[in-house]
């Protein structure tokens, strides 16, 4: 499943938490993960859902 959200946050993980309303950690090899793109800087960040 793919979804797109536009949020405004001060940190990438803050944006991911705001979009998912869940706790997250840095992604390693989890099959379900969140990708955050910083539109201004062009940086990409990946997080997974905390269990």
């Amino acid at each position: 499943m793919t979804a797109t959200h536009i949020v405004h946050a001060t940190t990438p993980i803050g944006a991911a938490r705001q979009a998912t309303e869940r706790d997250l950690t840095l992604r390693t090899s989890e099959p379900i993960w969140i990708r955050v793109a910083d539109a201004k800087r062009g940086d990409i960040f990946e997080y997974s859902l905390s269990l």
Side-chain angles (χ1 to χ4, degrees):
M1 179 171 87
T2 301
T4 301
H5 300 276
I6 297 174
V7 297
H8 300 279
T10 57
T11 64
I13 198 163
R17 286 179 178 149
Q18 184 178 342
T20 62
E21 298 179 350
R22 306 228 5 224
D23 234 2
L24 304 164
T25 60
L26 289 175
R27 178 181 184 234
T28 54
S29 63
E30 295 81 7
I32 300 174
W33 55 282
I34 309 301
R35 178 180 182 218
V36 175
D38 183 328
K40 289 184 181 178
R41 296 177 51 182
D43 293 332
I44 303 296
F45 303 89
E46 296 177 354
Y47 302 101
S48 62
L49 301 174
S50 294
L51 301 175

